[in-house]
Amino acid sequence: MLWVERAQLEHDRFVEVMRSRGVEVYYVLDLLTQTLQASQEARRLLIEQVATEYTVGWALVDEIRQFLWNLSPENLARHLIGGLTAGESGVDWGKYSKISLYAAALDDMNTFILPPLPNTLFTRDSSCWIYGGVSVNPMYWPARRRESLNLYAIYHYHPMFREAGFQFWYPNTTDDEFNLQNFGRSSLEGGDVLPIGTVQS
């Protein structure tokens, strides 16, 4: 069982030590918020990939997408990582109970419509930098694949990365499109990657 308060304290102290030694520390939540502030295309991509017929059901997809679209960048980023409960969604569940199995079966407003992503802290899994580029990885567990989506949006649309001139080793971004469904059954995580050799400059 994780002692959350103690873990947070140790993390904050570790960050203080790194910053005292000149290390720049970035938080995924902050980078995601800044990405959403900078790009409506990033917002569209994330909302359309997160709230789908597969994740919330066809009857609720438009309602949930509209709710997410109306959120501020700060709150949207918080829900993309921390999840969204039925009670937070603003959905009239009684109205949808006759056409949505999800709504009909719902008996607890604390049920997550969009599950949280607690493993976001393990950022070496969801992406890995290899020489002059990055691989945004299709992780093995479906529950973790949204972590890759968030990092893809950051690397693709955040002002700090957008003009940085690095390669996307994976996925192929030549068609400027990213779809979680395209991962299929393939899987790759940062720990699976071992660069060998030297960089030719």
Side-chain angles (χ1 to χ4, degrees), residues 7-112:
Q8 185 67 61
L9 176 64
E10 292 178 359
H11 170 79
D12 291 343
R13 287 182 176 170
F14 183 50
V15 169
E16 286 177 13
V17 170
M18 288 193 292
R19 285 178 169 161
S20 72
R21 298 185 178 193
V23 176
E24 288 189 76
V25 178
Y26 297 98
Y27 287 95
V28 173
L29 180 63
D30 294 340
L31 293 173
L32 187 57
T33 298
Q34 292 158 8
T35 299
L36 294 166
Q37 289 169 338
S39 172
Q40 291 292 92
E41 188 61 21
R43 174 183 284 261
R44 181 198 64 78
L45 171 74
L46 287 164
I47 291 173
E48 289 184 359
Q49 292 290 311
V50 166
T52 71
E53 293 84 353
Y54 302 105
T55 59
V56 300
W58 68 266
L60 293 171
V61 65
D62 292 337
E63 188 87 3
I64 299 301
R65 283 181 177 179
Q66 190 60 54
F67 172 82
L68 295 173
W69 188 265
N70 290 336
L71 292 174
S72 67
E74 295 81 4
N75 285 332
L76 179 54
R78 183 170 58 85
H79 285 300
L80 288 172
I81 295 174
L84 177 69
T85 66
E88 293 170 322
S89 69
V91 170
D92 182 348
W93 293 104
K95 170 184 170 185
Y96 286 96
S97 62
K98 291 188 169 109
I99 59 172
S100 166
L101 287 174
Y102 192 102
L106 186 66
D107 61 0
D108 183 354
M109 289 296 109
N110 291 316
T111 300
F112 280 101

Side-chain angles (χ1 to χ4, degrees), residues 1 47 51 100 160 184 196:
M1 182 70 70
I47 291 173
S100 166
M160 182 170 62
I196 299 174

